[in-house]
Amino acid sequence: MTTSANSDAVSYARVSNVRTAAETGDRIEWVKVSLAFLPLATPVSDAKVLTGRQKPLTEVAIIFAEIRTRDGFEGIGFSYSKRAGGPGIYAHAKEIADNLLNEDPNDIDKIYTKLLWAGASVGRSGMAVQAISPFDIALWDMKAKRAQLPLAKLLGAHRDSVQCYNTSGGFLHTPLDQVIKNVAISRESGIGGIKIKVGQPDTAEDLKRLTAVRKELGDDFPLMVDANQQWDRETAMRIGRKMEAFNLVWIEEPLDAYDVEGHAALATALDTPIATGEMLTSFREHEQLILGNASDFVQPDAPRVGGISPFLKIMDLAAKHGRKLAPHFAMEIHLHLAAAYPVEPWLEHFEWLNPLFNEQLELRDGRMLVSDRHGLGFTLSEQAVAWTAAQCEFGKRP
């Protein structure tokens, strides 16, 4: 026997002609993947070059994804690789791109899982997820544009600007007198902090450069150092203790990126905070770092970990465990994510990617401002198109 309530439900379904979310949702109809090479004006060296483990960096490979939907919404995202790897990321992105077609662009986590399974045989970290990053970032860009909000506001911003430090002026290929000039220029331009590279075979040279930069900046201006994984545990502890006198914001990557135990020992023994995480390429790797108490600052990189979706999971776990946040590189993306972090973060300033975009970020009083532009707030420049070496399209061209 049918109850009155059930009868009413059946009657309502028959007469109201209700359509489901699946029936009315938008659909992805076009995807474009591009590979571009951004040349650097001067070859760049950090400690990995001076220790003979890498060659100087001369270009950055950029993998772009452009996505358009049936309803006319667009999104753009990118991944990147320094030195080797760019063509490989592009090749994998090209293989999995058609899996986006006909999906609802709002179902970002569903799409992410689909792309992961499309390339499951090559794993769930490294190049496999770096190839997903451009798509995931483009979908978040689109979602914010659909809401007519900057991405930071879509996520829920805790601030409308983020304190910002410069790295590009302090590389080890740069003579010390020029580093000092770069520091002065950065400070005059409104930068909020300075990071210099260390980790040379002769640690006395590191201390010489650090002493000169601290003298130029004064005792209290925010200063960081980055050893790019070039110390062993004993050297890191010894030089870390010597660096206590310099009032550093942090010592970055003193050890191998996967040495959770070693980083945890440093974080416990030193007063100076430890920062690491930029080389990790998955949520799970960052989970080990955070749960292992291996750093005071976590430094995830959205293009490296697989996009904004896994980055948000890292943020959530880091916040629950009281870690500070300092995302690596790609300030065009990380500005929005850092603005949405509950604890005051740092943003890394690199001007290298500026030629790729028509829009530029604004620096004021030591902080990078979140603009009112929707989404991530950038579009590709003619220069980015000119540097494109390969591209492919899927679906119906807009």
Side-chain angles (χ1 to χ4, degrees):
M1 186 179 209
T2 304
T3 65
S4 175
N6 286 342
S7 297
D8 289 345
V10 172
S11 176
Y12 176 79
R14 286 174 179 168
V15 302
S16 63
N17 196 27
V18 172
R19 298 182 67 194
T20 68
E23 292 170 327
T24 58
D26 196 3
R27 291 291 181 268
I28 296 170
E29 66 174 11
W30 177 77
V31 179
K32 181 178 180 180
V33 185
S34 305
L35 172 65
F37 290 96
L38 184 157
L40 300 179
T42 302
V44 172
S45 297
D46 57 24
K48 298 187 294 294
V49 175
L50 273 65
T51 57
R53 289 173 171 165
Q54 289 185 344
K55 296 178 181 179
L57 178 65
T58 59
E59 63 183 13
V60 180
I62 310 289
I63 301 88
F64 291 109
E66 299 169 70
I67 301 175
R68 185 179 175 88
T69 72
R70 181 189 61 202
D71 292 349
F73 291 97
E74 298 179 345
I76 184 168
F78 68 88
S79 189
Y80 73 92
S81 183
K82 300 174 182 177
R83 300 180 178 86
I89 296 173
Y90 171 74
H92 190 64
K94 181 179 177 180
E95 284 189 298
I96 63 176
D98 65 348
N99 286 279
L100 285 96
L101 297 177
N102 298 316
E103 291 288 347
D104 187 326
N106 295 294
D107 298 337
I108 299 178
D109 196 58
K110 172 189 173 184
I111 295 172
Y112 193 91
T113 301
K114 184 178 183 181
L115 294 175
L116 266 180
W117 279 107
S121 66
V122 292
R124 298 187 183 185
S125 64
M127 193 177 291
V129 298
Q130 290 172 42
I132 296 175
S133 294
F135 305 123
D136 184 80
I137 293 167
L139 290 172
W140 278 103
D141 177 49
M142 182 189 297
K143 194 163 194 171
K145 288 174 179 173
R146 186 187 291 269
Q148 299 184 35
L149 293 170
L151 178 60
K153 293 297 185 181
L154 178 74
L155 298 175
H158 285 268
R159 59 197 62 82
D160 294 323
S161 66
V162 179
Q163 57 186 350
C164 186
Y165 71 94
N166 179 263
T167 294
S168 57
F171 276 89
L172 293 175
H173 68 274
T174 308
L176 180 55
D177 60 344
Q178 185 59 52
V179 170
I180 298 302
K181 292 178 182 177
N182 293 344
V183 165
I185 292 171
S186 291
R187 191 172 186 178
E188 290 169 5
S189 72
I191 204 72
I194 295 291
K195 186 172 79 179
I196 65 168
K197 298 290 186 174
V198 293
Q200 300 178 82
D202 183 356
T203 57
E205 286 298 313
D206 285 337
L207 292 173
K208 176 182 176 181
R209 289 168 77 91
L210 181 54
T211 299
V213 172
R214 174 49 84 195
K215 181 179 179 181
E216 171 67 24
L217 290 173
D219 293 338
D220 298 324
F221 192 84
L223 175 62
M224 306 84 162
V225 298
D226 182 359
N228 288 110
Q229 308 179 74
Q230 296 309 292
W231 293 329
D232 57 30
R233 291 186 180 184
E234 293 77 13
T235 301
M237 188 68 74
R238 184 172 60 252
I239 196 169
R241 286 180 174 138
K242 291 180 179 179
M243 288 182 173
E244 297 276 43
F246 291 91
N247 188 29
L248 300 175
V249 179
W250 69 65
I251 298 172
E252 183 172 334
E253 284 198 317
L255 302 171
D256 182 275
Y258 294 96
D259 187 357
V260 174
E261 183 181 76
H263 278 106
L266 288 174
T268 299
L270 299 178
D271 290 335
T272 304
I274 299 299
T276 192
E278 70 178 64
M279 297 304 298
L280 304 184
T281 59
S282 70
F283 167 77
R284 292 298 181 190
E285 291 167 1
H286 277 279
E287 182 181 48
Q288 293 176 6
L289 194 74
I290 294 167
L291 297 183
N293 297 313
S295 67
D296 303 283
F297 285 86
V298 295
Q299 296 186 298
D301 182 320
R304 281 183 174 165
V305 299
I308 290 172
S309 294
F311 192 103
L312 293 174
K313 295 176 183 178
I314 294 167
M315 278 177 49
D316 182 60
L317 184 65
K320 287 177 180 177
H321 289 270
R323 302 297 188 270
K324 294 184 178 180
L325 178 73
H328 170 255
F329 201 57
M331 62 184 183
E332 294 80 4
I333 299 168
H334 292 138
L335 170 61
H336 295 272
L337 303 177
Y341 196 65
V343 181
E344 181 71 45
W346 279 97
L347 182 70
E348 185 170 28
H349 179 275
F350 266 98
E351 71 279 3
W352 292 358
L353 303 186
N354 287 354
L356 297 173
F357 308 115
N358 293 314
E359 303 79 13
Q360 303 300 318
L361 299 177
E362 182 179 351
L363 185 67
R364 187 187 303 166
D365 299 327
R367 305 179 71 86
M368 193 68 77
L369 307 183
V370 177
S371 81
D372 62 355
R373 298 189 297 269
H374 299 163
L376 291 169
F378 63 80
T379 55
L380 293 184
S381 67
E382 292 183 3
Q383 182 62 78
V385 175
W387 283 334
T388 298
Q391 61 184 33
C392 54
E393 298 182 33
F394 303 84
K396 180 181 176 183
R397 186 180 180 87

